Amino acid sequence: MKKKNIELLKRSQDLKNQKKNLFIKNQEEDFELSEYNIAVEEHIFWQDRDQVALLMEDFLNKKIDSELFSDQVYGLHRKLINTCEKFKLELTSSSEKIKDFQPDGRSKKLSGFLTDLYCECEYFTEAEDYQNKKFYDSIKNGFLNFQKYLNEE
């Protein structure tokens, strides 16, 4: 399976370099590649899950304010995207470092969590409402769900 995903990554990049799109060329392959990209993102986020939990705890315990919390979430989201891109580059270059990559099945539980947290911060920032109780309650509910998934380990 991994070999096929690497081939799809290379094919997608080649098409992108030609100003073409894998989705237009072959939707089935594009879907397969998307599933693999999601697995990579989930795996990388799973490795940073404790950092996210600590950030949320700091905010909920009022050690940091909502503005700093949002800035930190944005930074973690950027880091996740950059790490995923580097990981995919290493995959296509047949790096020995990640030769035997197998996603951790537990990482699926938190799929999209950081993106959701990012969107929540964006929503409240744009509404200029991220200093209020609704934002705090929203993050608290997210944290409780996050903890629930982690406790299922």
Side-chain angles (χ1 to χ4, degrees):
M1 178 176 151
K2 182 182 171 227
K3 188 174 181 179
K4 168 91 178 197
N5 291 313
I6 292 170
E7 289 171 11
L8 288 174
L9 277 169
K10 287 179 180 179
R11 181 166 148 72
S12 176
Q13 190 57 48
D14 288 345
L15 288 170
K16 203 181 283 186
N17 291 341
Q18 298 170 29
K19 307 271 190 249
K20 297 179 181 176
N21 188 312
L22 181 60
F23 178 79
I24 293 170
K25 291 287 184 187
N26 188 324
Q27 290 181 3
E28 190 175 307
E29 284 183 350
D30 186 68
F31 180 73
E32 188 176 339
L33 181 59
S34 292
E35 286 184 325
Y36 187 71
N37 287 338
I38 289 168
V40 167
E41 183 177 311
E42 290 168 347
H43 174 75
I44 292 169
F45 178 69
W46 184 255
Q47 294 173 330
D48 287 342
R49 68 191 181 280
D50 294 334
Q51 188 178 3
V52 173
L54 288 172
L55 177 61
M56 293 177 82
E57 284 177 8
D58 284 350
F59 174 69
L60 295 172
N61 290 325
K62 302 194 187 292
K63 291 180 181 177
I64 60 174
D65 66 10
S66 55
E67 191 171 343
L68 182 56
F69 174 76
S70 294
D71 288 346
Q72 294 291 318
V73 168
Y74 300 151
L76 287 171
H77 190 259
R78 264 190 314 279
K79 178 185 170 201
L80 176 64
I81 292 168
N82 291 338
T83 304
C84 288
E85 289 304 313
K86 286 179 192 171
F87 188 90
K88 290 188 281 187
L89 281 172
E90 287 182 27
L91 270 174
T92 56
S93 68
S94 303
S95 170
E96 287 296 312
K97 208 163 63 170
I98 57 172
K99 184 175 145 187
D100 300 320
F101 168 67
Q102 284 298 321
D104 187 324
R106 299 174 299 172
S107 65
K108 279 217 163 297
K109 294 189 244 179
L110 297 176
S111 181
F113 184 84
L114 186 58
T115 300
D116 290 345
L117 190 57
Y118 176 91
C119 291
E120 198 70 5
C121 290
E122 279 285 292
Y123 171 77
F124 279 97
T125 300
E126 286 179 17
E128 296 184 14
D129 220 6
Y130 67 109
Q131 300 281 344
N132 75 18
K133 186 169 170 23
K134 285 183 183 178
F135 181 63
Y136 181 88
D137 289 345
S138 172
I139 300 306
K140 184 177 179 180
N141 288 334
F143 181 71
L144 293 174
N145 287 328
F146 189 80
Q147 289 296 79
K148 182 179 90 172
Y149 294 129
L150 289 179
N151 291 334
E152 291 175 2
E153 283 185 56

